[in-house]
Amino acid sequence: MYHVCLTFDFDAYSPWIARRLTNYTNLSRGEFASIGVKRILRLLRDHNIEATFFVPGHTAEHFPEEVGLIKDHGHEVAHHGYIHEPPETLGGPEEERRVIVKGIEALKKTANIVPKGYRSPSWALTKYTLSILEEHGMIYDSSLMGNDYTPYRPPLYLEVDSEGRVVRGPLSRLVEIPVHWSLDDYPHFEYVRFQSYVLHGLYSVSDVLENWILSFEYMVNNMDEGVIVYTFHPEVVGRGHTMIFLERLISHIKSHAKKYRISFSKMIDVANKYREKLGIV
Ligand SMILES: [Zn+2]
């Protein structure tokens, strides 16, 4: 069986606040995520696909209607920080713990959701993050890049000692469902002027679609089974040309379904399957 996970990070206002780029126009870019979510929900319903939305607590508080819609459509809602704080930018384990708890409480309060999975804002874990996730009942993480098509049990941390040697922590009880920037819409399609650099983005959808299809085809042609995770943001993929990109990606993957067993799956379902395979009880 091959699992295709379509994942949507419903960041909305939060990354602009985390990056201190809060002019009116940037905040309106965050607001557009609401339009994007509704388009995505329609497309997923038309294709009868289940997906996972990673939602910062701040987004849940500002867009409770949209988060309720995501839930009502049968999709998974998972944890994505409180206000899109990359863990590496926080002041240590206590602050990381406080942010994880705040994110959980916001999802619970606004939509009665208890998240079981986590994706770090900006994919930037620290040596503490996975332990804190275990403490708070998470069963999977989706922030690391140590494999591609095969979920795995990650060490609790990798760190570099004073001699430059890499030290691996003991195995975590989480399932890691790996990701990669090459399968993320943000660097390919978004244009952002940061204080010290410009993210150019704005690639042709045809070029990116070819890369994303090739990644899928490598999996079905070379692996006996596997999981491919695509990462989207409603404020990015929700525009006209990128919605057509998403639709073409789905159609192409579906065209392989006659030959291969393919399931568009929620991350939680993949995590539960691999928990068993990895012997995590
Ligand atoms: Zn994000």
Side-chain angles (χ1 to χ4, degrees):
M1 170 70 83
Y2 300 100
H3 295 276
V4 177
C5 294
L6 302 183
T7 65
F8 299 89
D9 299 357
F10 185 8
D11 291 343
Y13 300 129
S14 65
W16 302 106
I17 300 168
R19 296 168 189 150
R20 296 190 173 80
L21 296 172
T22 52
N23 69 42
Y24 187 176
T25 301
N26 282 339
L27 291 175
S28 76
R29 291 171 74 170
E31 198 142 71
F32 180 76
S34 164
I35 311 283
V37 162
K38 288 167 188 163
R39 288 181 181 163
I40 291 161
L41 291 177
R42 267 200 306 277
L43 181 70
L44 296 177
R45 188 193 55 205
D46 291 349
H47 282 272
N48 199 21
I49 285 174
E50 292 184 326
T52 298
F53 288 72
F54 290 93
V55 181
H58 185 273
T59 298
E61 288 170 355
H62 286 75
F63 297 91
E65 184 202 324
E66 287 79 351
V67 176
L69 276 176
I70 292 167
K71 188 180 163 192
D72 293 346
H73 278 237
H75 303 298
E76 177 190 2
V77 174
H79 198 302
H80 195 44
Y82 177 68
I83 196 163
H84 214 271
E85 313 86 341
E88 67 170 355
T89 65
L90 296 171
E94 284 318 308
E95 202 177 342
E96 273 199 54
R97 194 171 279 112
R98 188 183 58 76
V99 165
I100 296 288
V101 169
K102 212 171 163 190
I104 291 171
E105 284 173 351
L107 291 175
K108 174 83 183 148
K109 201 166 109 194
T110 54
N112 200 24
I113 289 162
V114 179
K116 290 289 172 196
Y118 174 82
R119 169 173 288 165
S120 142
S122 306
W123 288 333
L125 298 190
T126 73
K127 64 179 181 179
Y128 311 113
T129 316
L130 295 185
S131 301
I132 296 170
L133 296 179
E134 286 184 355
E135 280 169 24
H136 290 89
M138 301 292 162
I139 69 163
Y140 75 89
D141 172 68
S142 181
S143 316
L144 293 172
M145 307 187 187
N147 210 318
D148 48 9
Y149 304 115
T150 308
Y152 63 102
R153 223 175 138 174
L156 279 173
Y157 53 83
L158 290 178
E159 67 174 339
V160 179
D161 72 11
S162 57
E163 304 293 321
R165 284 186 293 261
V166 175
V167 179
R168 290 169 63 92
L171 280 186
S172 155
R173 298 177 48 75
L174 296 161
V175 177
E176 180 61 39
I177 309 178
V179 289
H180 196 254
W181 290 107
S182 58
L183 299 179
D184 181 328
D185 62 355
Y186 208 94
H188 296 96
F189 296 130
E190 203 61 12
Y191 174 84
V192 186
R193 290 195 303 266
F194 292 94
Q195 263 119 16
S196 55
Y197 73 101
V198 172
L199 172 64
H200 286 282
L202 310 183
Y203 286 96
S204 152
V205 291
S206 316
D207 292 346
V208 181
L209 184 62
E210 187 181 1
N211 289 354
W212 289 27
I213 284 173
L214 291 175
S215 288
F216 170 77
E217 291 189 345
Y218 185 89
M219 174 175 75
V220 294
N221 291 330
N222 293 278
M223 312 283 295
D224 294 331
E225 59 176 12
V227 182
I228 188 165
V229 179
Y230 293 107
T231 298
F232 302 93
H233 299 76
E235 55 270 50
V236 179
V237 79
R239 299 200 173 265
H241 63 299
T242 37
M243 282 302 294
I244 292 173
F245 164 83
L246 175 55
E247 196 166 1
R248 286 184 183 169
L249 178 69
I250 290 170
S251 299
H252 183 90
I253 291 168
K254 281 189 158 180
S255 74
H256 285 262
K258 284 194 197 84
K259 194 165 167 200
Y260 302 102
R261 287 181 64 214
I262 293 166
S263 164
F264 286 91
S265 303
K266 295 188 269 200
M267 300 283 264
I268 184 70
D269 295 335
V270 168
N272 280 326
K273 171 177 163 178
Y274 276 83
R275 252 166 91 82
E276 216 163 285
K277 283 171 87 79
L278 294 166
I280 305 170
V281 285

